Amino acid sequence: MPALVEEYTRLERRGDEWWGCCPFHNEKTPSFSVVPSKGMYYCFGCHEGGSAIDFVMNMEKLSFLEAVVFLARQSGVEIVYSGQQVATGQDNSLKDQYIDLYTRVAGSYHYCLASTTAGKVALDYILNRGITMDIIQKFQLGYSPANRYWLKKFLRSKNYSDEFLAGSGLFSKKYPDISFFSNRLMFPITDRQGRVVAFGGRLLGGEGPKYINSGDLIQYNKGKTLYAFNRARQSIRKEKAVIICEGYMDVLAYHQCGLTYAVAPLGTALTMDQVKLVQPFVDTVYLSFDSDRAGREATWKAILLCRQADISVRVIALEGGKDPAEIMVNLGAEVLTESVKRAKIDGDYLLSILATEHQVETPEGKTKAALAFFPYIDALKSDIQKESWLVRLCQALNLNIEAVKKDFSNRVVAERRGQGHEEREGEAKPLQIKLNAELRSVLAVVANLDAYELMRSSLSPEDFEDPVARELFIILEECYREESVLHGSVLAKCSNEQLKSLVARVIASGEYADNQEKVIEDSIRRIRRNSLERKRGRLLNKIRQLSARVTSHEEQKLLEDLISEKMNIDFELDSKDAR
């Protein structure tokens, strides 16, 4: 497990454990622990913890199945689907086949660009834009031949069926022998693992849109993918920042200038899914869009999305060229780097734009500018931030703060009423975890799983008064019946994140390592005794109620049974006292 975690943060060995700075939150003093013998991790700062699967799920934002596949591929382990998972296995098999196809086609396109006469026009174009062969090879840029029938003929010669190719997204739906991409500079698009899943293509001559991109495919969703994310990911983690720019060429220019944490949306406006893709890794998003009206609108929408995800935003103002590649060629990498360093905080950027779009010297213009700025305030997560930017708005437009606050508040209340945002009763409350004696006893068993057989031989779920302790006991019982009493299995069954975090901390900390056998035996006796006393109390109430109204033989028999049951409990309690 340390080898897996070290792909995301540096670890140092201390005895049987490994320690480092947590990859889930910012810290300078290491509080993140990996325990190889138990196959788990835990952070004593942010309380994230779990198994290797949990780590991959949280770090890469994958589903359980995706995380299992991710780990299997890293380990070279073949995954065999069975039972109810057959359909999923078939879907994944087809997905993998198309990924393999796109990987092979990307290789062919790259060969056409770098090694053929036909690709020389495309190669000259990209070299003239200042992109080096090193970047061309790293990003596996390619060229799709002008002959639109070439690709189909080539792939048929490799024994691909027409039916399979028809679903690949590489060919026209109306004319299945014609390639979707032709005479274009090709940009392979990769998934998180660096596998080619789609293409973008820039026209090099003739008629047609300047750029075209693959549509959504079984292996690709453009709204959930960022160009170059896989290649930029390590730098994004290191910098705690990401540059989101307009398109493929912008990304290449930034990477060539050493700013290797640049990515781009794929032919559409930035989406919340794409923001969530980078959210776990960054403190700041830098936006690098064009300065024209379309670019300003894209920047505005991106700011709101990032702020809604509670990410700080800065806006890069490009000077000396229309895009990063032009600045790189004409002025050098240092100028592009300085542009990033001088990036404006998003609120200041928006205020400067509003001042040019509205006649802010008039009352009407001030009102329009303030109303246009309010959605930015709405998107901020902190009340302190909201207050600060309302003050900043007033300073910029020379407005009275109380009047602005009143307009802002009235607008928010009116919108909430219009959208039906009423206080809801009966909403689910977070699990209340109290470290009482019952929960501590089950946690001691979780930390020392060999003791579970002793606990289950003496206790049942009904013996636990605390609901969290009862839930954890049931989880252990489920693992026992599945013959999988392992820390990873217990963590996987903890559906509540608070409980999972608590369990992970207990395992990692070793706080129940001393006198474990005696602690567990004493706690089992205490829980059983408390359970018996509660049960005896309930029986006494029933006996009193029934004694006052016995009117039939059946009720007399029930009363005798209750008394007998109470005597058995008395006997067991007396026996425990004797011990």
Side-chain angles (χ1 to χ4, degrees):
M1 188 167 179
L4 168 67
V5 176
E6 279 199 305
E7 292 187 15
Y8 305 89
T9 188
R10 190 169 64 88
L11 298 175
E12 292 183 1
R13 187 165 189 166
R14 300 180 189 173
D16 295 331
E17 298 178 2
W18 296 75
W19 289 79
C21 290
C22 179
F24 297 106
H25 80 286
N26 291 326
E27 62 176 9
K28 294 183 179 179
T29 304
S31 63
F32 183 83
S33 170
V34 178
V35 188
S37 62
K38 296 177 179 177
M40 60 156 301
Y41 68 94
Y42 184 77
C43 175
F44 291 87
C46 69
H47 310 299
E48 281 282 351
S51 64
I53 292 176
D54 292 312
F55 183 83
V56 172
M57 287 174 67
N58 291 331
M59 204 70 213
E60 297 293 342
K61 303 304 168 191
L62 302 177
S63 68
F64 178 84
L65 182 58
E66 288 171 332
V68 171
V69 172
F70 180 95
L71 288 170
R73 284 200 175 109
Q74 278 202 331
S75 306
V77 176
E78 181 183 1
I79 295 180
V80 179
Y81 297 90
S82 61
Q84 295 179 344
Q85 292 181 315
V86 171
T88 303
Q90 290 172 345
D91 289 345
N92 280 344
S93 175
L94 183 59
K95 176 180 174 181
D96 289 341
Q97 288 175 43
Y98 279 125
I99 290 173
D100 179 70
L101 171 66
Y102 271 72
T103 300
R104 292 172 184 271
V105 171
S108 298
Y109 283 157
H110 181 66
Y111 174 81
C112 288
L113 176 73
S115 306
T116 69
T117 303
K120 189 174 185 308
V121 172
L123 185 60
D124 287 344
Y125 167 80
I126 195 72
L127 291 173
N128 289 336
R129 292 297 308 272
I131 304 302
T132 64
M133 284 302 300
D134 181 54
I135 291 294
I136 290 170
Q137 289 167 358
K138 280 182 179 177
F139 286 82
Q140 206 180 7
L141 303 190
Y143 170 69
S144 57
N147 180 353
R148 303 192 72 176
Y149 295 93
W150 170 82
L151 183 61
K152 188 66 168 286
K153 183 179 179 181
F154 173 72
L155 293 176
R156 276 176 174 159
S157 72
K158 302 298 181 183
N159 297 319
Y160 286 101
S161 71
D162 286 347
E163 181 183 8
F164 177 74
L165 294 176
S168 68
L170 290 171
F171 300 94
S172 166
K173 290 182 180 179
K174 191 173 182 180
Y175 305 103
D177 289 339
I178 291 179
S179 176
F180 184 69
F181 300 97
S182 64
N183 195 29
R184 289 179 180 269
L185 176 66
M186 299 300 292
F187 301 87
I189 298 164
T190 59
D191 63 8
R192 299 169 194 248
Q193 285 79 53
R195 303 175 301 169
V196 180
V197 293
F199 289 110
R202 190 197 190 284
L203 188 66
L204 293 170
E207 296 183 357
K210 183 177 178 181
Y211 281 95
I212 59 172
N213 303 283
S214 297
D216 286 347
L217 302 162
I218 186 174
Q219 76 276 11
Y220 169 65
N221 184 315
K222 61 185 174 184
K224 296 182 178 180
T225 310
L226 286 166
Y227 179 65
F229 177 69
N230 173 261
R231 188 163 291 282
R233 186 169 46 182
Q234 292 298 336
S235 294
I236 290 171
R237 287 196 187 99
K238 180 182 177 182
E239 300 293 334
K240 301 292 184 183
V242 62
I243 299 171
I244 297 178
C245 43
E246 194 91 17
Y248 308 113
M249 291 299 299
D250 297 341
V251 170
L252 300 182
Y254 274 118
H255 278 252
Q256 186 164 308
C257 291
L259 301 164
T260 53
Y261 49 102
V263 298
L266 293 153
T268 61
L270 187 69
T271 68
M272 182 54 83
D273 284 325
Q274 290 166 335
V275 171
K276 288 180 178 177
L277 191 61
V278 301
Q279 183 183 27
F281 312 121
V282 305
D283 295 327
T284 306
V285 167
Y286 291 85
L287 299 176
S288 178
F289 295 145
D290 289 348
S291 58
D292 59 13
R293 185 168 189 82
R296 291 198 303 272
E297 289 179 358
T299 300
W300 168 242
K301 291 175 182 177
I303 287 171
L304 293 185
L305 287 176
C306 293
R307 284 297 186 175
Q308 287 163 9
D310 202 16
I311 305 172
S312 295
V313 184
R314 289 184 174 271
V315 180
I316 299 170
L318 297 175
E319 298 177 1
K322 69 179 189 317
D323 58 35
E326 190 171 289
I327 293 172
M328 174 185 69
V329 171
N330 295 337
L331 302 175
E334 298 79 9
V335 173
L336 195 58
T337 301
E338 283 301 314
S339 296
V340 175
K341 290 180 180 178
R342 294 196 309 268
K344 274 188 177 182
I345 193 164
D346 52 357
D348 287 333
Y349 164 81
L350 292 175
L351 288 173
S352 67
I353 293 295
L354 291 172
T356 64
E357 293 181 345
H358 300 282
Q359 295 179 336
V360 293
E361 68 279 358
T362 68
E364 293 79 6
K366 291 178 189 290
T367 301
K368 288 179 180 179
L371 288 172
F373 193 68
F374 283 168
Y376 172 73
I377 305 292
D378 289 333
L380 299 173
K381 294 298 182 183
S382 161
D383 287 338
I384 294 175
Q385 286 181 325
K386 291 177 187 286
E387 173 82 15
S388 299
W389 280 107
L390 282 172
V391 171
R392 184 76 183 84
L393 169 66
C394 293
Q395 292 171 343
L397 301 181
N398 193 24
L399 297 170
N400 177 274
I401 183 63
E402 297 305 322
V404 171
K405 283 184 178 180
K406 188 174 181 179
D407 277 357
F408 178 74
S409 299
N410 289 342
R411 168 185 162 276
V412 171
V413 170
E415 286 184 358
R416 287 182 63 84
R417 284 176 178 168
Q419 295 167 7
H421 290 177
E422 306 294 338
E423 290 292 328
R424 296 179 177 90
E425 294 184 3
E427 289 187 340
K429 295 181 179 179
L431 187 65
Q432 297 297 316
I433 297 179
K434 297 180 180 178
L435 274 174
N436 52 41
E438 284 190 357
L439 182 54
R440 288 181 186 277
S441 67
V442 188
L443 289 170
V445 171
V446 169
N448 307 279
L449 290 171
D450 291 340
Y452 179 64
E453 284 202 52
L454 173 63
M455 177 171 271
R456 78 183 297 269
S457 68
S458 304
L459 301 175
S460 67
E462 292 73 26
D463 290 320
F464 293 90
E465 188 174 22
D466 178 64
V468 181
R470 187 187 309 119
E471 179 180 342
L472 191 52
F473 180 86
I474 291 171
I475 287 171
L476 285 166
E477 179 62 19
E478 289 175 353
C479 292
Y480 182 85
R481 293 183 182 185
E482 294 170 6
E483 298 183 354
S484 182
V485 186
L486 303 169
H487 288 120
S489 301
V490 174
L491 286 164
K493 288 183 179 292
C494 292
S495 57
N496 182 277
E497 291 301 320
Q498 293 171 272
L499 181 58
K500 177 182 283 189
S501 177
L502 175 62
V503 170
R505 178 180 65 79
V506 165
I507 297 170
S509 65
E511 62 185 273
Y512 290 97
D514 297 331
N515 301 318
Q516 53 183 276
E517 191 173 326
K518 185 177 186 308
V519 167
I520 292 171
E521 288 177 353
D522 289 346
S523 65
I524 290 173
R525 282 196 293 270
R526 185 167 53 252
I527 291 170
R528 179 62 180 162
R529 177 175 183 81
N530 292 340
S531 175
L532 289 171
E533 287 179 344
R534 289 195 302 272
K535 190 173 182 180
R536 181 171 64 176
R538 291 193 295 270
L539 286 171
L540 279 170
N541 285 334
K542 290 181 179 179
I543 290 169
R544 291 192 193 100
Q545 292 171 8
L546 199 54
S547 297
R549 60 174 179 80
V550 172
T551 58
S552 66
H553 176 72
E554 289 77 11
E555 288 182 336
Q556 181 62 42
K557 179 68 170 64
L558 177 58
L559 179 60
E560 290 172 358
D561 289 343
L562 291 174
I563 293 172
S564 175
E565 188 176 355
K566 176 188 169 295
M567 290 175 65
N568 289 336
I569 291 175
D570 289 338
F571 178 77
E572 185 173 349
L573 285 170
D574 290 342
S575 299
K576 289 182 181 296
D577 286 340
R579 275 184 280 167

